[in-house]
Amino acid sequence: MRGALLFCSLLFWPAVHAANASADISAYRALVAQDARLASVGYKLAAANAEYCARKERNPGWVIHDIAQYPD
């Protein structure tokens, strides 16, 4: 019985793994969309208020991620 259970779990593992990978890909795509939206809004706010800044610097436009954003 234990051998049959192990065989079944190995048999269905790729399907379960693919479903989890698909969910991960969807979650990361949603994160990318949120990051792009945040960067876009931030840029518009900064550009619109540039006249109030005494010191102006160039921004490379990178969206930097923090390791804390991602699950273990």
Side-chain angles (χ1 to χ4, degrees), residues 24-41 62-65 69-70:
D24 286 346
I25 290 169
S26 295
Y28 287 122
R29 283 186 178 155
L31 178 63
V32 167
Q34 290 172 356
D35 281 345
R37 173 89 171 121
L38 180 64
S40 175
V41 170
W62 301 332
V63 176
I64 303 205
H65 292 239
Q69 288 179 285
Y70 300 97

Side-chain angles (χ1 to χ4, degrees), residues 2-67:
R2 181 178 243 169
L5 193 58
L6 178 61
F7 175 75
C8 286
S9 65
L10 291 175
L11 185 64
F12 293 110
W13 182 80
V16 171
H17 181 67
N20 289 341
S22 179
D24 286 346
I25 290 169
S26 295
Y28 287 122
R29 283 186 178 155
L31 178 63
V32 167
Q34 290 172 356
D35 281 345
R37 173 89 171 121
L38 180 64
S40 175
V41 170
Y43 175 80
K44 289 174 187 174
L45 287 171
N49 290 291
E51 66 185 74
Y52 301 111
C53 296
R55 191 181 81 201
K56 296 174 182 70
E57 296 180 12
R58 292 199 172 269
N59 180 350
W62 301 332
V63 176
I64 303 205
H65 292 239
D66 183 355
I67 193 72

